[in-house]
């Protein structure tokens, strides 16, 4: 299609991207949290927003169904990033990827003993790399929903999950024991679109960069 399609997930990424869009003269005409529309027109008739699941944003941009999008570093590391240009850390939706355990589990000792740990997570690639680098043997258990439940229900010894305030961990009697990496969201751009629609995309990148700063 002519014009630019931007893939965003609703919730924190949509909300925190609004000031960046505004700097490029783009205001979505509806709020995805109250509207059921999945394709949202904007104040610029050459720009539309498609509302996708956070984990699907890289896929839409990779295949060119969206020209640009916003995705967490967590999502990009799990996706692999093929076909994506990642020009800008937007410094939004900040959190940390952590290892957490139930209070009372002697994690250091289990690791020291070379025990095989059962680790539940949605972030299989990030977890695999983290434990491989430490030389810790793990059985990874892929989950799609609340990781916090897994150790409490006896499914796993530990979890790898995103933490921002820590209140969800605390409410479930879990303790963060390792900081794997800091996470924020990045701008992603389809590589072919960047060449073919350069005169439309570059001013949007520049506007975003001017808000984000160095
Ligand atoms: P869903 O919550 O619908 O299952 P999701 O967790 O993939 O999907 P969001 O919760 O909207 O989607 O998270 C989108 C992105 O925001 C994540 O990929 C991550 O980069 C970041 N994020 C996730 N949780 C937090 C958090 N607690 N604080 C800050 N940023 C977060
Ligand atoms: Mg979430």
């Amino acid at each position: 299609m002519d014009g630019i399609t931007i893939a965003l997930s609703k919730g924190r990424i949509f909300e925190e991207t609004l000031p960046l869009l505004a700097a490029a003269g783009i205001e979505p005409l509806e709020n995805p949290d109250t509207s059921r529309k999945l394709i949202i027109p904007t104040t610029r008739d050459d720009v539309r927003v498609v509302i996708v699941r956070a984990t699907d944003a890289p896929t839409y941009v990779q295949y060119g169904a969206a020209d640009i999008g916003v995705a967490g570093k967590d999502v990009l590391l799990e996706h692999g990033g093929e076909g994506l240009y990642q020009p800008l850390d937007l410094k939004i939706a900040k959190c940390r990827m952590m290892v957490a355990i139930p209070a009372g589990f002697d994690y250091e000792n289990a690791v020291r003993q070379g025990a095989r740990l059962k680790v539940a997570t949605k972030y299989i690639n990030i977890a695999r790399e983290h434990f491989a680098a430490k030389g810790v043997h793990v059985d990874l258990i892929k989950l799609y929903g609340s990781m916090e439940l897994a150790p409490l229900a006896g499914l796993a010894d530990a979890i790898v999950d995103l933490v921002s305030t820590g209140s969800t961990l605390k409410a479930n009697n879990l303790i963060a024991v390792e900081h794997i990496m800091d996470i924020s969201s990045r701008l992603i751009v389809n590589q072919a679109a960047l060449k073919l629609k350069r005169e439309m995309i570059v001013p949007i990148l520049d506007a975003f960069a001017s808000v984000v700063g160095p």
Side-chain angles (χ1 to χ4, degrees):
M1 93 147 222
D2 293 337
I4 294 292
T5 299
I6 304 176
L8 296 177
S9 52
K10 58 184 174 186
R12 58 171 67 84
I13 286 184
F14 183 85
E15 297 299 332
E16 295 185 37
T17 303
L18 286 176
L20 304 170
L21 291 172
I26 301 165
E27 277 176 59
L29 295 178
E30 287 190 65
N31 178 346
D33 288 318
T34 51
S35 160
R36 286 167 184 263
K37 272 202 187 139
L38 297 175
I39 299 180
I40 298 182
T42 74
T43 45
R44 274 179 53 175
D45 50 7
D46 61 340
V47 179
R48 63 180 191 166
V49 172
V50 293
I51 302 301
V52 300
R53 184 83 189 257
T55 42
D56 291 336
T59 306
Y60 274 82
V61 176
Q62 171 187 9
Y63 288 100
D67 301 295
I68 69 181
V70 175
K73 185 178 176 186
D74 51 318
V75 165
L76 289 166
L77 287 173
E78 294 300 318
H79 170 272
E82 311 97 80
L84 301 175
Y85 174 52
Q86 298 181 30
L88 198 56
D89 181 353
L90 300 175
K91 301 177 189 166
I92 61 170
K94 285 186 181 176
C95 51
R96 286 157 293 146
M97 188 67 75
M98 308 283 288
V99 180
I101 53 151
F105 177 66
D106 192 345
Y107 178 73
E108 287 308 323
N109 191 50
V111 167
R112 208 175 319 116
Q113 308 262 307
R116 214 176 164 84
L117 288 179
K118 278 192 284 175
V119 178
T121 188
K122 179 171 156 186
Y123 309 99
I124 292 285
N125 292 341
I126 293 171
R128 185 188 299 110
E129 277 206 22
H130 172 71
F131 290 108
K134 286 177 52 104
V136 173
H137 298 289
V138 290
D139 289 320
L140 295 173
I141 302 169
K142 167 84 181 183
L143 288 180
Y144 296 87
S146 338
M147 268 84 68
E148 299 82 16
L149 177 62
L152 308 178
L155 178 66
D157 302 312
I159 61 173
V160 168
D161 198 4
L162 294 174
V163 180
S164 49
T165 62
S167 54
T168 306
L169 290 183
K170 204 165 173 197
N172 291 292
N173 213 15
L174 299 169
I175 296 167
V177 287
E178 274 169 5
H179 175 192
I180 300 178
M181 64 178 78
D182 288 327
I183 298 286
S184 57
S185 286
R186 279 130 200 268
L187 185 64
I188 52 177
V189 181
N190 176 277
Q191 287 174 346
L194 182 60
K195 294 196 189 98
L196 296 169
K197 302 182 181 179
R198 196 171 180 85
E199 72 294 344
M200 271 189 289
I201 291 177
V202 169
I204 296 175
L205 300 194
D206 290 345
F208 279 28
S210 73
V211 177
V212 173

